[in-house]
Amino acid sequence: MKIITIIPAYNEEKTISSVVKGALTYSNVLVVDDGSIDQTSNLASLSGADIIKHSKNRGKGAAIKTGIKKALNDDYDVMVFIDGDGQHDPDSIPSLAQSIGRYDFIIGSRFKEDDFRNMPIQRRFSNKLTTKLISYVTGYHITDSQSGFRAISSNCAEIFLHIKYDDYVYESEALYQASKNSLLIKEEPISCNYQDEKSYIGLMDVLKYLKFIIRLFIRKIKRRFYFEAILCINC
């Protein structure tokens, strides 16, 4: 099984070296530098990662899609995604990757074993709320819809290249597309470090996410009416 770890990164010069070195223990590593203006690319390259650099900041979703395209071109079987800010422990890469084959999509859950004691309370609340909404819309029983630590099979990776979102909404839409295509999802417990947490999410991003959730509900209602109409026709 050929595994690659894809790290979308934006201005992560403080942590990228340790993340890359940790991930290299278990797989090849590709860092997609999303228009950083610091030394992220140089330090990642010196640490042993392959690099693709966007000329400008396009968003985390765009960086993930760039990584998927490269991994497909290089015939990888499993793609693991890990954030570049040091929150995720690379030692969890094997547990996510090894579940691919029996499952199509693995989520590294910070809540699977109630490991949320160090998560800021506002993050804990927003994550719980959005996870309940995403679970309702997708039909998946998941505990951590916002985790960026994930793994997918190359057999279904093409699905995620057609997502229109380029920002952080991409990761939630990926769950919807997984459900729409009947992918098998599993969660694996992970730990998380929030000591150096930083956020690029502002008020406009929150409003955009709310708009996205409303659209998800509309799509769910439309699908329900469609299937009910098909059942009526066949009655």
Short mmCIF file of all heavy atoms in Angstrom, two decimals, residues 152-214:
data_model
loop_
_atom_site.label_atom_id
_atom_site.label_comp_id
_atom_site.label_asym_id
_atom_site.label_seq_id
_atom_site.Cartn_x
_atom_site.Cartn_y
_atom_site.Cartn_z
N ILE A 152 -8.10 9.23 2.89
CA ILE A 152 -9.03 8.75 1.86
C ILE A 152 -8.34 7.75 0.95
O ILE A 152 -7.11 7.75 0.81
CB ILE A 152 -9.61 9.90 1.01
CG1 ILE A 152 -8.49 10.64 0.26
CG2 ILE A 152 -10.45 10.84 1.86
CD1 ILE A 152 -9.00 11.67 -0.75
N SER A 153 -9.16 6.92 0.34
CA SER A 153 -8.65 5.98 -0.66
C SER A 153 -8.54 6.68 -2.01
O SER A 153 -9.38 7.52 -2.36
CB SER A 153 -9.60 4.79 -0.78
OG SER A 153 -9.30 4.01 -1.92
N SER A 154 -7.53 6.32 -2.77
CA SER A 154 -7.39 6.88 -4.12
C SER A 154 -8.56 6.49 -5.01
O SER A 154 -8.86 7.18 -5.99
CB SER A 154 -6.08 6.40 -4.75
OG SER A 154 -6.09 4.99 -4.90
N ASN A 155 -9.25 5.40 -4.66
CA ASN A 155 -10.37 4.93 -5.47
C ASN A 155 -11.54 5.92 -5.48
O ASN A 155 -12.35 5.91 -6.42
CB ASN A 155 -10.88 3.58 -4.96
CG ASN A 155 -9.86 2.47 -5.15
OD1 ASN A 155 -9.05 2.52 -6.08
ND2 ASN A 155 -9.86 1.49 -4.26
N CYS A 156 -11.62 6.75 -4.44
CA CYS A 156 -12.73 7.71 -4.39
C CYS A 156 -12.24 9.15 -4.40
O CYS A 156 -13.05 10.09 -4.29
CB CYS A 156 -13.58 7.46 -3.14
SG CYS A 156 -12.71 7.70 -1.58
N ALA A 157 -10.94 9.36 -4.55
CA ALA A 157 -10.37 10.71 -4.43
C ALA A 157 -10.90 11.68 -5.48
O ALA A 157 -11.02 12.89 -5.22
CB ALA A 157 -8.85 10.64 -4.51
N GLU A 158 -11.23 11.16 -6.65
CA GLU A 158 -11.72 12.02 -7.74
C GLU A 158 -12.95 12.81 -7.33
O GLU A 158 -13.16 13.94 -7.77
CB GLU A 158 -12.03 11.16 -8.97
CG GLU A 158 -12.25 11.93 -10.25
CD GLU A 158 -10.96 12.40 -10.91
OE1 GLU A 158 -9.92 11.74 -10.69
OE2 GLU A 158 -11.01 13.41 -11.64
N ILE A 159 -13.78 12.22 -6.47
CA ILE A 159 -15.00 12.87 -6.00
C ILE A 159 -14.69 14.23 -5.38
O ILE A 159 -15.41 15.21 -5.58
CB ILE A 159 -15.71 11.98 -4.96
CG1 ILE A 159 -16.24 10.71 -5.61
CG2 ILE A 159 -16.83 12.73 -4.24
CD1 ILE A 159 -16.68 9.65 -4.61
N PHE A 160 -13.58 14.30 -4.65
CA PHE A 160 -13.27 15.49 -3.88
C PHE A 160 -12.56 16.57 -4.68
O PHE A 160 -12.33 17.67 -4.18
CB PHE A 160 -12.43 15.09 -2.65
CG PHE A 160 -13.10 14.03 -1.82
CD1 PHE A 160 -12.59 12.74 -1.78
CD2 PHE A 160 -14.26 14.31 -1.12
CE1 PHE A 160 -13.22 11.74 -1.04
CE2 PHE A 160 -14.89 13.33 -0.38
CZ PHE A 160 -14.38 12.04 -0.33
N LEU A 161 -12.24 16.26 -5.93
CA LEU A 161 -11.64 17.28 -6.80
C LEU A 161 -12.68 18.21 -7.38
O LEU A 161 -12.36 19.29 -7.88
CB LEU A 161 -10.86 16.60 -7.94
CG LEU A 161 -9.58 15.88 -7.55
CD1 LEU A 161 -8.97 15.22 -8.79
CD2 LEU A 161 -8.59 16.82 -6.90
N HIS A 162 -13.94 17.80 -7.36
CA HIS A 162 -15.00 18.58 -8.00
C HIS A 162 -15.77 19.47 -7.03
O HIS A 162 -16.77 20.08 -7.39
CB HIS A 162 -15.96 17.64 -8.72
CG HIS A 162 -15.28 16.77 -9.74
ND1 HIS A 162 -14.68 17.27 -10.86
CD2 HIS A 162 -15.08 15.42 -9.79
CE1 HIS A 162 -14.15 16.29 -11.57
NE2 HIS A 162 -14.37 15.16 -10.94
N ILE A 163 -15.32 19.52 -5.79
CA ILE A 163 -15.95 20.40 -4.80
C ILE A 163 -15.60 21.85 -5.16
O ILE A 163 -14.44 22.18 -5.39
CB ILE A 163 -15.46 20.06 -3.38
CG1 ILE A 163 -15.98 18.66 -2.99
CG2 ILE A 163 -15.92 21.11 -2.38
CD1 ILE A 163 -15.46 18.16 -1.66
N LYS A 164 -16.61 22.71 -5.19
CA LYS A 164 -16.39 24.09 -5.66
C LYS A 164 -15.74 24.98 -4.61
O LYS A 164 -15.17 26.02 -4.95
CB LYS A 164 -17.71 24.70 -6.10
CG LYS A 164 -18.71 24.91 -4.98
CD LYS A 164 -19.99 25.55 -5.51
CE LYS A 164 -21.00 25.79 -4.37
NZ LYS A 164 -22.23 26.43 -4.88
N TYR A 165 -15.82 24.60 -3.35
CA TYR A 165 -15.27 25.46 -2.29
C TYR A 165 -13.75 25.33 -2.23
O TYR A 165 -13.21 24.23 -2.32
CB TYR A 165 -15.86 25.08 -0.94
CG TYR A 165 -17.36 25.29 -0.85
CD1 TYR A 165 -18.24 24.20 -0.97
CD2 TYR A 165 -17.91 26.56 -0.67
CE1 TYR A 165 -19.62 24.39 -0.90
CE2 TYR A 165 -19.27 26.74 -0.61
CZ TYR A 165 -20.12 25.66 -0.72
OH TYR A 165 -21.48 25.85 -0.65
N ASP A 166 -13.08 26.46 -2.02
CA ASP A 166 -11.63 26.47 -1.88
C ASP A 166 -11.18 26.81 -0.47
O ASP A 166 -9.99 26.70 -0.16
CB ASP A 166 -11.00 27.48 -2.85
CG ASP A 166 -10.97 26.96 -4.28
OD1 ASP A 166 -11.02 25.72 -4.47
OD2 ASP A 166 -10.90 27.80 -5.21
N ASP A 167 -12.11 27.24 0.39
CA ASP A 167 -11.73 27.63 1.75
C ASP A 167 -12.00 26.49 2.72
O ASP A 167 -12.12 25.33 2.33
CB ASP A 167 -12.47 28.90 2.15
CG ASP A 167 -13.99 28.74 2.03
OD1 ASP A 167 -14.47 27.60 1.87
OD2 ASP A 167 -14.70 29.76 2.10
N TYR A 168 -12.10 26.80 4.01
CA TYR A 168 -12.27 25.76 5.03
C TYR A 168 -13.61 25.05 4.96
O TYR A 168 -13.78 23.97 5.52
CB TYR A 168 -12.06 26.35 6.43
CG TYR A 168 -13.19 27.24 6.88
CD1 TYR A 168 -14.20 26.75 7.70
CD2 TYR A 168 -13.25 28.57 6.49
CE1 TYR A 168 -15.24 27.56 8.11
CE2 TYR A 168 -14.29 29.38 6.88
CZ TYR A 168 -15.28 28.88 7.69
OH TYR A 168 -16.31 29.68 8.08
N VAL A 169 -14.59 25.63 4.25
CA VAL A 169 -15.88 24.97 4.05
C VAL A 169 -15.71 23.67 3.27
O VAL A 169 -16.52 22.75 3.37
CB VAL A 169 -16.87 25.92 3.33
CG1 VAL A 169 -18.19 25.22 3.01
CG2 VAL A 169 -17.14 27.15 4.18
N TYR A 170 -14.62 23.59 2.52
CA TYR A 170 -14.32 22.40 1.71
C TYR A 170 -14.44 21.12 2.53
O TYR A 170 -15.00 20.12 2.06
CB TYR A 170 -12.91 22.52 1.14
CG TYR A 170 -12.44 21.28 0.40
CD1 TYR A 170 -12.62 21.16 -0.97
CD2 TYR A 170 -11.82 20.23 1.08
CE1 TYR A 170 -12.18 20.02 -1.64
CE2 TYR A 170 -11.39 19.10 0.42
CZ TYR A 170 -11.58 19.00 -0.94
OH TYR A 170 -11.17 17.87 -1.60
N GLU A 171 -13.92 21.11 3.75
CA GLU A 171 -13.88 19.88 4.54
C GLU A 171 -15.27 19.40 4.94
O GLU A 171 -15.51 18.20 5.03
CB GLU A 171 -12.98 20.08 5.76
CG GLU A 171 -11.52 20.23 5.36
CD GLU A 171 -10.61 20.56 6.53
OE1 GLU A 171 -10.94 21.48 7.29
OE2 GLU A 171 -9.56 19.91 6.66
N SER A 172 -16.20 20.32 5.17
CA SER A 172 -17.57 19.93 5.47
C SER A 172 -18.28 19.44 4.21
O SER A 172 -19.02 18.46 4.25
CB SER A 172 -18.34 21.11 6.07
OG SER A 172 -17.82 21.46 7.34
N GLU A 173 -18.04 20.11 3.10
CA GLU A 173 -18.65 19.68 1.83
C GLU A 173 -18.14 18.30 1.44
O GLU A 173 -18.87 17.50 0.84
CB GLU A 173 -18.33 20.69 0.74
CG GLU A 173 -18.84 20.32 -0.66
CD GLU A 173 -20.35 20.32 -0.79
OE1 GLU A 173 -21.05 20.87 0.09
OE2 GLU A 173 -20.85 19.76 -1.80
N ALA A 174 -16.89 18.00 1.79
CA ALA A 174 -16.33 16.68 1.49
C ALA A 174 -17.14 15.58 2.17
O ALA A 174 -17.36 14.50 1.59
CB ALA A 174 -14.87 16.61 1.93
N LEU A 175 -17.61 15.84 3.39
CA LEU A 175 -18.44 14.86 4.09
C LEU A 175 -19.79 14.68 3.40
O LEU A 175 -20.30 13.57 3.29
CB LEU A 175 -18.64 15.29 5.55
CG LEU A 175 -17.38 15.23 6.42
CD1 LEU A 175 -17.65 15.86 7.78
CD2 LEU A 175 -16.89 13.80 6.58
N TYR A 176 -20.35 15.78 2.92
CA TYR A 176 -21.62 15.68 2.19
C TYR A 176 -21.43 14.88 0.91
O TYR A 176 -22.24 14.01 0.58
CB TYR A 176 -22.17 17.07 1.87
CG TYR A 176 -23.41 17.00 1.01
CD1 TYR A 176 -24.64 16.66 1.57
CD2 TYR A 176 -23.36 17.25 -0.36
CE1 TYR A 176 -25.78 16.57 0.78
CE2 TYR A 176 -24.48 17.16 -1.15
CZ TYR A 176 -25.69 16.83 -0.57
OH TYR A 176 -26.81 16.72 -1.36
N GLN A 177 -20.36 15.16 0.17
CA GLN A 177 -20.11 14.43 -1.07
C GLN A 177 -19.84 12.95 -0.80
O GLN A 177 -20.20 12.09 -1.60
CB GLN A 177 -18.94 15.06 -1.83
CG GLN A 177 -19.24 16.44 -2.39
CD GLN A 177 -20.40 16.46 -3.36
OE1 GLN A 177 -20.60 15.50 -4.13
NE2 GLN A 177 -21.17 17.53 -3.36
N ALA A 178 -19.19 12.67 0.31
CA ALA A 178 -18.97 11.27 0.70
C ALA A 178 -20.29 10.55 0.91
O ALA A 178 -20.48 9.42 0.44
CB ALA A 178 -18.11 11.20 1.96
N SER A 179 -21.22 11.20 1.60
CA SER A 179 -22.53 10.59 1.84
C SER A 179 -23.32 10.44 0.55
O SER A 179 -24.00 9.43 0.33
CB SER A 179 -23.33 11.40 2.86
OG SER A 179 -23.73 12.65 2.33
N LYS A 180 -23.24 11.44 -0.31
CA LYS A 180 -23.95 11.42 -1.59
C LYS A 180 -23.47 10.26 -2.45
O LYS A 180 -24.25 9.68 -3.23
CB LYS A 180 -23.74 12.74 -2.31
CG LYS A 180 -24.56 12.91 -3.58
CD LYS A 180 -24.32 14.29 -4.19
CE LYS A 180 -25.08 14.45 -5.49
NZ LYS A 180 -24.82 15.78 -6.11
N ASN A 181 -22.20 9.90 -2.32
CA ASN A 181 -21.61 8.81 -3.11
C ASN A 181 -21.51 7.50 -2.32
O ASN A 181 -20.82 6.58 -2.74
CB ASN A 181 -20.23 9.23 -3.62
CG ASN A 181 -20.31 10.28 -4.71
OD1 ASN A 181 -20.46 9.95 -5.88
ND2 ASN A 181 -20.21 11.55 -4.33
N SER A 182 -22.19 7.45 -1.17
CA SER A 182 -22.28 6.23 -0.35
C SER A 182 -20.93 5.67 0.06
O SER A 182 -20.71 4.45 0.08
CB SER A 182 -23.09 5.16 -1.11
OG SER A 182 -24.38 5.62 -1.42
N LEU A 183 -20.00 6.55 0.39
CA LEU A 183 -18.69 6.10 0.85
C LEU A 183 -18.79 5.61 2.29
O LEU A 183 -19.58 6.10 3.09
CB LEU A 183 -17.68 7.24 0.77
CG LEU A 183 -17.42 7.86 -0.61
CD1 LEU A 183 -16.25 8.83 -0.53
CD2 LEU A 183 -17.17 6.80 -1.67
N LEU A 184 -17.96 4.62 2.61
CA LEU A 184 -17.91 4.09 3.97
C LEU A 184 -16.94 4.93 4.80
O LEU A 184 -15.77 5.08 4.45
CB LEU A 184 -17.44 2.63 3.95
CG LEU A 184 -18.38 1.64 3.27
CD1 LEU A 184 -17.76 0.24 3.27
CD2 LEU A 184 -19.75 1.61 3.94
N ILE A 185 -17.45 5.47 5.91
CA ILE A 185 -16.66 6.34 6.77
C ILE A 185 -16.44 5.70 8.14
O ILE A 185 -17.32 5.04 8.67
CB ILE A 185 -17.34 7.71 6.93
CG1 ILE A 185 -17.03 8.61 5.73
CG2 ILE A 185 -16.90 8.41 8.21
CD1 ILE A 185 -17.47 10.05 5.88
N LYS A 186 -15.25 5.92 8.67
CA LYS A 186 -14.93 5.47 10.02
C LYS A 186 -14.14 6.56 10.73
O LYS A 186 -13.39 7.32 10.08
CB LYS A 186 -14.10 4.18 9.99
CG LYS A 186 -13.74 3.63 11.36
CD LYS A 186 -12.77 2.46 11.25
CE LYS A 186 -12.42 1.92 12.63
NZ LYS A 186 -11.38 0.87 12.57
N GLU A 187 -14.29 6.66 12.04
CA GLU A 187 -13.48 7.57 12.83
C GLU A 187 -12.43 6.79 13.63
O GLU A 187 -12.71 5.71 14.13
CB GLU A 187 -14.35 8.38 13.79
CG GLU A 187 -15.19 9.44 13.11
CD GLU A 187 -15.92 10.32 14.11
OE1 GLU A 187 -16.48 9.78 15.09
OE2 GLU A 187 -15.93 11.54 13.90
N GLU A 188 -11.24 7.38 13.73
CA GLU A 188 -10.18 6.86 14.57
C GLU A 188 -9.83 7.92 15.61
O GLU A 188 -9.74 9.10 15.28
CB GLU A 188 -8.93 6.53 13.75
CG GLU A 188 -9.06 5.34 12.83
CD GLU A 188 -9.03 4.01 13.57
OE1 GLU A 188 -8.67 4.00 14.77
OE2 GLU A 188 -9.36 2.98 12.96
N PRO A 189 -9.65 7.54 16.87
CA PRO A 189 -9.33 8.53 17.91
C PRO A 189 -7.94 9.12 17.72
O PRO A 189 -6.99 8.41 17.39
CB PRO A 189 -9.42 7.73 19.20
CG PRO A 189 -9.20 6.31 18.80
CD PRO A 189 -9.77 6.17 17.42
N ILE A 190 -7.83 10.43 17.90
CA ILE A 190 -6.53 11.11 17.86
C ILE A 190 -6.46 12.09 19.03
O ILE A 190 -7.46 12.46 19.63
CB ILE A 190 -6.33 11.90 16.54
CG1 ILE A 190 -7.42 12.98 16.38
CG2 ILE A 190 -6.29 10.96 15.35
CD1 ILE A 190 -7.15 13.97 15.27
N SER A 191 -5.24 12.50 19.34
CA SER A 191 -5.03 13.57 20.32
C SER A 191 -4.72 14.85 19.57
O SER A 191 -4.41 14.84 18.38
CB SER A 191 -3.90 13.20 21.28
OG SER A 191 -2.70 13.02 20.55
N CYS A 192 -4.80 15.97 20.28
CA CYS A 192 -4.57 17.25 19.62
C CYS A 192 -3.88 18.23 20.57
O CYS A 192 -4.12 18.21 21.79
CB CYS A 192 -5.90 17.83 19.16
SG CYS A 192 -5.80 18.79 17.65
N ASN A 193 -3.01 19.06 20.02
CA ASN A 193 -2.28 20.06 20.79
C ASN A 193 -2.75 21.45 20.37
O ASN A 193 -2.58 21.83 19.21
CB ASN A 193 -0.78 19.91 20.55
CG ASN A 193 0.03 21.01 21.20
OD1 ASN A 193 -0.42 21.65 22.14
ND2 ASN A 193 1.23 21.24 20.68
N TYR A 194 -3.30 22.23 21.29
CA TYR A 194 -3.84 23.55 20.98
C TYR A 194 -2.98 24.70 21.49
O TYR A 194 -3.38 25.85 21.42
CB TYR A 194 -5.25 23.71 21.58
CG TYR A 194 -6.23 22.70 21.06
CD1 TYR A 194 -6.50 21.54 21.77
CD2 TYR A 194 -6.88 22.89 19.84
CE1 TYR A 194 -7.40 20.60 21.29
CE2 TYR A 194 -7.76 21.96 19.35
CZ TYR A 194 -8.02 20.82 20.08
OH TYR A 194 -8.90 19.89 19.59
N GLN A 195 -1.78 24.40 21.95
CA GLN A 195 -0.96 25.43 22.59
C GLN A 195 -0.64 26.60 21.66
O GLN A 195 -0.65 27.75 22.08
CB GLN A 195 0.34 24.81 23.11
CG GLN A 195 0.11 23.88 24.31
CD GLN A 195 1.42 23.31 24.83
OE1 GLN A 195 2.47 23.50 24.23
NE2 GLN A 195 1.36 22.62 25.94
N ASP A 196 -0.34 26.30 20.41
CA ASP A 196 0.03 27.36 19.47
C ASP A 196 -1.06 27.58 18.43
O ASP A 196 -0.78 27.99 17.29
CB ASP A 196 1.35 27.01 18.76
CG ASP A 196 2.50 26.91 19.74
OD1 ASP A 196 2.60 27.79 20.61
OD2 ASP A 196 3.28 25.94 19.65
N GLU A 197 -2.30 27.35 18.82
CA GLU A 197 -3.41 27.46 17.88
C GLU A 197 -3.55 28.88 17.36
O GLU A 197 -3.44 29.86 18.08
CB GLU A 197 -4.71 27.03 18.55
CG GLU A 197 -5.89 27.07 17.61
CD GLU A 197 -7.20 26.76 18.32
OE1 GLU A 197 -7.36 27.18 19.47
OE2 GLU A 197 -8.05 26.11 17.70
N LYS A 198 -3.82 28.98 16.06
CA LYS A 198 -4.13 30.28 15.46
C LYS A 198 -5.29 30.08 14.51
O LYS A 198 -5.51 28.98 13.99
CB LYS A 198 -2.91 30.84 14.72
CG LYS A 198 -2.35 29.94 13.64
CD LYS A 198 -1.09 30.56 13.04
CE LYS A 198 -0.47 29.65 11.99
NZ LYS A 198 0.77 30.22 11.43
N SER A 199 -6.04 31.13 14.27
CA SER A 199 -7.21 31.01 13.43
C SER A 199 -7.26 32.15 12.43
O SER A 199 -6.95 33.30 12.76
CB SER A 199 -8.48 31.01 14.28
OG SER A 199 -9.63 30.98 13.44
N TYR A 200 -7.62 31.81 11.18
CA TYR A 200 -7.79 32.82 10.15
C TYR A 200 -9.28 33.03 9.86
O TYR A 200 -9.65 33.63 8.87
CB TYR A 200 -7.08 32.38 8.86
CG TYR A 200 -5.59 32.20 9.04
CD1 TYR A 200 -5.03 30.93 9.15
CD2 TYR A 200 -4.74 33.30 9.10
CE1 TYR A 200 -3.66 30.77 9.31
CE2 TYR A 200 -3.36 33.14 9.26
CZ TYR A 200 -2.83 31.87 9.35
OH TYR A 200 -1.49 31.70 9.51
N ILE A 201 -10.15 32.53 10.74
CA ILE A 201 -11.58 32.57 10.52
C ILE A 201 -12.16 33.84 11.15
O ILE A 201 -12.04 34.05 12.35
CB ILE A 201 -12.28 31.33 11.11
CG1 ILE A 201 -11.74 30.07 10.43
CG2 ILE A 201 -13.78 31.41 10.94
CD1 ILE A 201 -12.25 28.78 11.04
N GLY A 202 -12.79 34.68 10.32
CA GLY A 202 -13.40 35.91 10.79
C GLY A 202 -14.92 35.85 10.70
O GLY A 202 -15.51 34.81 10.39
N LEU A 203 -15.56 36.99 10.96
CA LEU A 203 -17.01 37.05 10.95
C LEU A 203 -17.59 36.67 9.60
O LEU A 203 -18.59 35.94 9.51
CB LEU A 203 -17.47 38.47 11.33
CG LEU A 203 -18.99 38.71 11.31
CD1 LEU A 203 -19.71 37.76 12.26
CD2 LEU A 203 -19.30 40.16 11.65
N MET A 204 -16.97 37.15 8.52
CA MET A 204 -17.48 36.84 7.18
C MET A 204 -17.39 35.35 6.89
O MET A 204 -18.25 34.78 6.22
CB MET A 204 -16.71 37.63 6.12
CG MET A 204 -16.95 39.13 6.17
SD MET A 204 -18.71 39.56 6.03
CE MET A 204 -19.07 38.95 4.38
N ASP A 205 -16.36 34.71 7.43
CA ASP A 205 -16.21 33.26 7.25
C ASP A 205 -17.33 32.52 7.99
O ASP A 205 -17.87 31.54 7.48
CB ASP A 205 -14.85 32.79 7.78
CG ASP A 205 -13.71 33.39 7.00
OD1 ASP A 205 -13.71 33.28 5.77
OD2 ASP A 205 -12.81 33.96 7.63
N VAL A 206 -17.66 32.99 9.18
CA VAL A 206 -18.74 32.37 9.95
C VAL A 206 -20.07 32.50 9.20
O VAL A 206 -20.84 31.54 9.09
CB VAL A 206 -18.86 33.01 11.35
CG1 VAL A 206 -20.10 32.49 12.08
CG2 VAL A 206 -17.61 32.72 12.16
N LEU A 207 -20.34 33.69 8.66
CA LEU A 207 -21.57 33.91 7.89
C LEU A 207 -21.61 33.03 6.64
O LEU A 207 -22.65 32.48 6.28
CB LEU A 207 -21.69 35.38 7.51
CG LEU A 207 -21.88 36.36 8.68
CD1 LEU A 207 -21.87 37.80 8.18
CD2 LEU A 207 -23.19 36.07 9.42
N LYS A 208 -20.45 32.88 6.02
CA LYS A 208 -20.38 32.03 4.83
C LYS A 208 -20.67 30.58 5.19
O LYS A 208 -21.34 29.86 4.45
CB LYS A 208 -18.98 32.15 4.19
CG LYS A 208 -18.85 31.36 2.89
CD LYS A 208 -17.50 31.63 2.25
CE LYS A 208 -17.37 30.88 0.93
NZ LYS A 208 -16.07 31.14 0.27
N TYR A 209 -20.18 30.15 6.36
CA TYR A 209 -20.42 28.77 6.79
C TYR A 209 -21.89 28.55 7.10
O TYR A 209 -22.46 27.50 6.77
CB TYR A 209 -19.56 28.43 8.01
CG TYR A 209 -19.58 26.95 8.32
CD1 TYR A 209 -18.75 26.09 7.61
CD2 TYR A 209 -20.44 26.43 9.27
CE1 TYR A 209 -18.78 24.73 7.87
CE2 TYR A 209 -20.46 25.08 9.54
CZ TYR A 209 -19.63 24.23 8.83
OH TYR A 209 -19.67 22.89 9.07
N LEU A 210 -22.54 29.53 7.72
CA LEU A 210 -23.97 29.42 7.99
C LEU A 210 -24.76 29.30 6.69
O LEU A 210 -25.72 28.52 6.59
CB LEU A 210 -24.44 30.63 8.79
CG LEU A 210 -23.98 30.71 10.24
CD1 LEU A 210 -24.40 32.04 10.86
CD2 LEU A 210 -24.55 29.54 11.05
N LYS A 211 -24.35 30.07 5.69
CA LYS A 211 -24.99 29.99 4.38
C LYS A 211 -24.81 28.60 3.78
O LYS A 211 -25.73 28.03 3.19
CB LYS A 211 -24.39 31.06 3.46
CG LYS A 211 -25.06 31.16 2.10
CD LYS A 211 -24.44 32.30 1.29
CE LYS A 211 -25.10 32.42 -0.09
NZ LYS A 211 -24.48 33.52 -0.88
N PHE A 212 -23.62 28.05 3.97
CA PHE A 212 -23.34 26.70 3.48
C PHE A 212 -24.24 25.66 4.15
O PHE A 212 -24.80 24.79 3.50
CB PHE A 212 -21.87 26.36 3.75
CG PHE A 212 -21.54 24.90 3.65
CD1 PHE A 212 -21.46 24.27 2.43
CD2 PHE A 212 -21.30 24.15 4.80
CE1 PHE A 212 -21.15 22.92 2.33
CE2 PHE A 212 -21.00 22.81 4.72
CZ PHE A 212 -20.92 22.19 3.48
N ILE A 213 -24.42 25.77 5.47
CA ILE A 213 -25.27 24.84 6.21
C ILE A 213 -26.71 24.92 5.72
O ILE A 213 -27.38 23.89 5.53
CB ILE A 213 -25.20 25.13 7.73
CG1 ILE A 213 -23.82 24.74 8.29
CG2 ILE A 213 -26.30 24.38 8.47
CD1 ILE A 213 -23.52 23.26 8.25
N ILE A 214 -27.20 26.13 5.48
CA ILE A 214 -28.56 26.30 4.97
C ILE A 214 -28.71 25.61 3.61
O ILE A 214 -29.70 24.93 3.34
CB ILE A 214 -28.91 27.80 4.86
CG1 ILE A 214 -29.03 28.41 6.26
CG2 ILE A 214 -30.21 28.01 4.08
CD1 ILE A 214 -29.11 29.93 6.26
#
